[in-house]
Amino acid sequence: MPTRVLIADDQAMVRAGFRLILEGEPDIEVVGEAADGDQAVRLARELRPDVTLMDIRMPGVDGLRATELLAGPDVPDPLHVVMVTTFGLDENVHAALRAGACGFLLKDAGPNLLIEAVHAAAHGEALVSPAITTRLLAHFARGSARPAPETPLTPRELDVVKAVARGATNDEICRSLVVSLPTVKTHIGAVKRKLGARNRTEIAIWAWESGLVR
């Protein structure tokens, strides 16, 4: 089955450009377009896409609020939302990650990274652009340590957390730690439970704000 994508952006040219790139991939299908946040929320709830590309700045309900409605902590069955922004260090991007977005993408990132972002989000790989993401998280890590989890992380789990915080994919973690993919997934699952994190992005934020990664 192809990865189903909803594009939400108030600029028709951006939507058309994204559609052109994505529909050139045999395993990606664009199932809808939205020109504002209200329409994005309505279509996403109706179509249940695998990935929603969400512009941050839109009229009416902005991308931040729309993301919270689709992927926020109170949503029982959250969708995968990738925020799209013009600025790499936009405070709204940080807030969007807090609101449940699984990653973010710069509008000028290029076709290859757009496709990578869609595939990554669909498979739970939240941090799709390591260089940009780690810079963003480091920028907003204010040095106020977060409380340690009730169940301490094991040394191997800490290694995995550090790799996730630096934007590594599961395959990259396998190679760097010389472990199997099922082992990496098991560690990430255990970390989520101990930290109360819903996704890899929240694991990364915890790592940066707790001072585990600098």
Side-chain angles (χ1 to χ4, degrees), residues 130-155:
I132 299 172
T133 303
T134 54
R135 186 180 65 187
L136 174 76
L137 293 173
H139 178 79
F140 287 102
R142 298 303 187 187
S144 56
R146 302 181 69 180
E150 293 184 5
T151 304
L153 301 182
T154 67

Side-chain angles (χ1 to χ4, degrees), residues 7 37 43 52 58 63 71-72 80 116 120-121 128 139 145 161 196 198 201 213:
I7 302 170
L43 285 177
T52 297
M58 292 187 290
H80 291 144
E116 179 188 345
V128 300
H139 178 79
V161 168
R198 295 176 302 153
T201 303
V213 177

Side-chain angles (χ1 to χ4, degrees), residues 2 10 12 34 37 39 42 56 70 78 84 88-89 105 143 149 151 158-159 187:
D10 62 337
Q39 189 179 20
R42 179 176 57 81
I56 276 188
L70 295 174
V84 182
L89 288 179
L105 182 72
T151 304
L158 287 172
D159 289 338
H187 286 319

Side-chain angles (χ1 to χ4, degrees), residues 43-193:
L43 285 177
R45 287 173 173 172
E46 174 186 336
L47 299 172
R48 303 296 301 179
D50 299 307
V51 179
T52 297
L53 295 175
M54 183 80 72
D55 185 19
I56 276 188
R57 303 178 185 276
M58 292 187 290
V61 173
D62 63 12
L64 180 60
R65 176 56 179 159
T67 297
E68 188 176 21
L69 291 172
L70 295 174
D74 297 328
V75 178
D77 188 16
L79 295 172
H80 291 144
V81 178
V82 174
M83 301 303 301
V84 182
T85 180
T86 305
F87 307 102
L89 288 179
D90 189 325
E91 287 191 7
N92 285 330
V93 177
H94 182 256
L97 296 177
R98 286 291 198 185
C102 65
F104 74 95
L105 182 72
L106 296 181
K107 286 188 177 180
D108 61 355
N112 291 336
L113 192 54
L114 173 63
I115 294 166
E116 179 188 345
V118 168
H119 285 309
H123 291 90
E125 300 283 354
L127 306 182
V128 300
S129 182
I132 299 172
T133 303
T134 54
R135 186 180 65 187
L136 174 76
L137 293 173
H139 178 79
F140 287 102
R142 298 303 187 187
S144 56
R146 302 181 69 180
E150 293 184 5
T151 304
L153 301 182
T154 67
R156 183 56 91 186
E157 288 168 355
L158 287 172
D159 289 338
V160 171
V161 168
K162 291 176 184 178
V164 168
R166 294 188 177 103
T169 65
N170 283 355
D171 288 339
E172 290 169 340
I173 296 173
C174 289
R175 291 194 294 271
S176 65
L177 299 183
V178 194
V179 294
S180 67
L181 182 58
T183 298
V184 171
K185 291 181 177 180
T186 297
H187 286 319
I188 290 177
V191 169
K192 286 180 181 178
R193 289 192 301 273

